[in-house]
Amino acid sequence: MCGIIGVTGTGAVAPRLIDSLKRLEYRGYDSAGIAALVGGVTERRRAEGKIRNLEAVLAEAPLNATVGIGHTRWATHGAPTTANAHPHKAGRVTLVHNGIIENFAELKAELAAEGHVFESQTDTEVVAHLLDRELDKSNDAVEAFKRVLDRLTGAYALAVLIDGESEQILGARRGSPLVVGWGEDEMYLGSDALAVGPFTQQISYLEEGDYVVLNRGG
Ligand code: GLU
């Protein structure tokens, strides 16, 4: 279980996500990635191996955005490849995950039977597909997210971006830690206090089963 960072802010987000991920390197990881909302739609940058590899990808293809999420992965399901690196994207949903979705095989079979096509071998990707499917049923992202959480067994800390939700980050935890950081016109989400440490000392620890909806204002 590795690192998560999310920032809904006003400054350039990519360098801030990278800075946080470097602070989480001590936890060990095999790949890393970030996603940010560019014109209301997420773009991803991912790389195998060290964060410097991700920095090289970003140097080739910069991300100009102020809202984003980042992840260092310690593979549990699927090899440590770029395709299996987080963030994972399905339709309008992009997310990162720490932990293990124990019922992923059953969920994947259900989604595959409905025509969903998977790009990775991870347990995580099913969560993105589930949420995208729930968003088809109603446009209320928070209600859709809660319905998805009810379907998951296992351990998770999640940070989620949805295309069209220009400054929102959804988060939830069960079995894996997640903290909220409070800034001035900015909010942060992190797998521990170190992740949000560069930005704020004002932190709330989520409790088991909590979910959170972050916007710049709170
Ligand atoms: N189970 C997920 C995967 O293998 C997340 C691993 C992690 O916590 O980094 O991609």
Side-chain angles (χ1 to χ4, degrees):
M1 295 194 192
C2 278
I4 286 178
I5 179 66
V7 176
T8 175
T10 46
V13 80
R16 305 174 83 187
L17 297 173
I18 294 290
D19 185 29
S20 277
L21 292 179
K22 284 181 176 169
R23 286 163 196 260
L24 295 171
E25 282 192 288
Y26 77 96
R27 295 159 72 113
Y29 64 103
D30 52 50
S31 54
I34 68 173
L37 281 162
V38 180
V41 177
T42 59
E43 285 188 29
R44 294 181 290 169
R45 304 287 184 265
R46 301 179 292 168
E48 283 178 43
K50 293 292 170 195
I51 289 168
R52 63 172 174 272
N53 300 344
L54 177 59
E55 289 183 289
V57 172
L58 273 166
E60 289 289 315
L63 272 181
N64 295 315
T66 58
V67 179
I69 54 178
H71 187 259
T72 47
R73 176 175 188 238
W74 191 312
T76 65
H77 293 65
T81 59
T82 302
N84 286 333
H86 303 210
H88 289 286
K89 181 159 187 168
R92 69 218 105 157
V93 175
T94 304
L95 57 79
V96 296
H97 163 229
N98 283 165
I100 294 174
I101 305 301
E102 279 165 10
N103 60 337
F104 87 97
E106 161 199 330
L107 295 170
K108 195 168 182 173
E110 175 184 321
L111 289 157
E114 291 174 15
H116 288 256
V117 176
F118 293 84
E119 292 177 351
S120 79
Q121 283 77 50
T122 63
D123 51 334
T124 301
E125 193 186 351
V126 298
V127 185
H129 284 267
L130 273 181
L131 182 51
D132 192 52
R133 183 181 71 175
E134 290 306 315
L135 287 169
D136 283 339
K137 296 182 189 161
S138 78
N139 255 345
D140 186 328
V142 178
E143 287 305 316
F145 189 46
K146 283 159 64 177
R147 285 198 298 276
V148 168
L149 297 177
D150 284 343
R151 296 290 315 273
L152 305 179
T153 60
Y156 55 76
L158 292 164
V160 183
L161 297 175
I162 298 174
D163 289 355
E165 301 279 356
S166 61
E167 59 172 78
Q168 178 179 274
I169 301 175
L170 301 175
R173 71 153 289 193
R174 194 195 297 155
S176 299
L178 201 61
V179 308
V180 170
W182 299 75
E184 285 293 316
D185 265 337
E186 300 198 330
M187 293 294 291
Y188 318 101
L189 195 61
S191 46
D192 65 19
L194 267 181
V196 300
F199 315 129
T200 184
Q201 302 303 311
Q202 252 190 292
I203 288 167
S204 305
Y205 289 85
L206 295 190
E207 292 184 6
E208 280 295 282
D210 280 353
Y211 70 90
V212 66
V213 184
L214 299 183
N215 290 288
R216 287 194 185 97

